[in-house]
Amino acid sequence: MNLNFNGSGSHTPFKRLTGLSLSLLSEIQPHFHFRYSRFFIGVTSMLHEGIFTLKVAVPVNNLDKNREVLVSVIVNRLLKQLSNIKASEHGYFLAVTKLRSIGQEDTNFSSQHVLFPVDFHCRTFIPVQGEVMTGIVRSVQHNGIFLKCGPMNIVYLSAQLMPDYHYVSGENLYQRDDSSKIENGVVVRFMIYAVRWIEDMWRDFRVLATLKGDGLGPVSLNGLDGLDL
């Protein structure tokens, strides 16, 4: 089954990168390096802590007359860049847990920014095939539904993987013979059927969900957004 769905439909809940410009981010991406990861034993195989290196872009107007900059400024820029990058093939960035070092600045990057290589520990979340999760329905379409689950905005549940449910076009929902319904705003327990990292303008994981399994389907948990991290 194809995971390269791009959300071109008007109802698909995608968001574009904000803050730093896309052109600046594309230049910074090659300076991003992953070095080490470990599981949080006893929590979930989807939570990791890794050591990363990122060259942080600091505007030149943040430098003082000696071309020095406060550590707090670099840290704030690091957090902003991670928020805009959002994720990598190593998972969604949840929290910087430790700052290891800040290297020598690179003044050849651009006339508006100076780059500082920063080593840091970061907690990440990566979706794993076979894990059971809950998400909230954001969009219902005739061929399936889109859910949001924690940081994952692109969770697709195909109609082919919803056994016993059929689409009701007049009401824009899926219904089963026992009157169980899946519609916008409903919380659904699903299993991750397949997952793929796609390096495109959205820079996100494409997650394919399934309801084939025991205990999967709509649940009565109003207001849940799928994953508390």
Side-chain angles (χ1 to χ4, degrees):
M1 191 169 291
N2 186 6
L3 291 183
N4 291 317
F5 42 87
N6 56 24
S8 58
S10 60
H11 298 292
T12 308
F14 299 148
K15 296 181 179 179
R16 293 182 179 273
L17 294 172
T18 58
L20 293 175
S21 69
L22 286 173
S23 59
L24 180 58
L25 277 174
S26 65
E27 292 181 58
I28 292 174
Q29 299 302 329
H31 301 286
F32 183 84
H33 301 287
F34 169 78
R35 293 166 52 191
Y36 170 78
S37 178
R38 66 178 176 86
F39 293 117
F40 280 95
I41 304 299
V43 181
T44 171
S45 62
M46 296 184 288
L47 284 177
H48 295 244
E49 177 134 341
I51 299 175
F52 297 84
T53 299
L54 178 66
K55 288 195 174 182
V56 177
V58 176
V60 294
N61 57 13
N62 287 142
L63 277 63
D64 63 20
K65 61 181 181 180
N66 297 318
R67 297 193 62 81
E68 295 180 349
V69 62
L70 295 174
V71 172
S72 60
V73 172
I74 297 176
V75 171
N76 286 335
R77 297 295 297 185
L78 168 65
L79 297 177
K80 185 174 182 179
Q81 279 182 221
L82 287 179
S83 177
N84 281 279
I85 295 172
K86 187 177 67 172
S88 74
E89 64 269 32
H90 307 291
Y92 294 94
F93 302 114
L94 301 181
V96 174
T97 57
K98 181 180 180 181
L99 188 66
R100 289 170 59 90
S101 65
I102 300 175
Q104 186 66 32
E105 72 270 16
D106 177 4
T107 59
N108 298 320
F109 177 65
S110 76
S111 58
Q112 287 80 35
H113 294 84
V114 176
L115 291 183
F116 290 88
V118 179
D119 284 4
F120 59 96
H121 290 254
C122 187
R123 187 170 300 174
T124 63
F125 166 82
I126 185 166
V128 175
Q129 183 180 14
E131 290 281 353
V132 174
M133 310 189 70
T134 54
I136 187 166
V137 177
R138 296 302 193 192
S139 175
V140 177
Q141 301 175 6
H142 72 278
N143 57 347
I145 65 175
F146 283 91
L147 304 102
K148 183 183 185 307
C149 176
M152 299 183 296
N153 290 310
I154 312 178
V155 179
Y156 181 60
L157 176 56
S158 170
Q160 301 175 43
L161 296 174
M162 301 168 62
D164 303 323
Y165 282 90
H166 60 276
Y167 180 66
V168 183
S169 59
E171 301 180 54
N172 194 36
L173 55 80
Y174 284 84
Q175 186 169 339
R176 202 166 54 183
D177 290 341
D178 63 0
S179 298
S180 174
K181 297 180 181 180
I182 298 178
E183 56 189 328
N184 279 327
V186 168
V187 176
V188 175
R189 181 179 292 111
F190 64 90
M191 179 183 293
I192 297 177
Y193 184 79
V195 59
R196 179 182 297 173
W197 167 257
I198 303 294
E199 188 77 34
D200 61 5
M201 68 179 295
W202 302 112
R203 302 194 74 258
D204 213 329
F205 288 92
R206 270 43 165 196
V207 177
L208 184 62
T210 179
L211 297 187
K212 293 182 178 180
D214 295 335
L216 304 180
V219 295
S220 57
L221 296 173
N222 295 329
L224 180 71
D225 74 347
L227 183 66
D228 185 8
L229 296 173

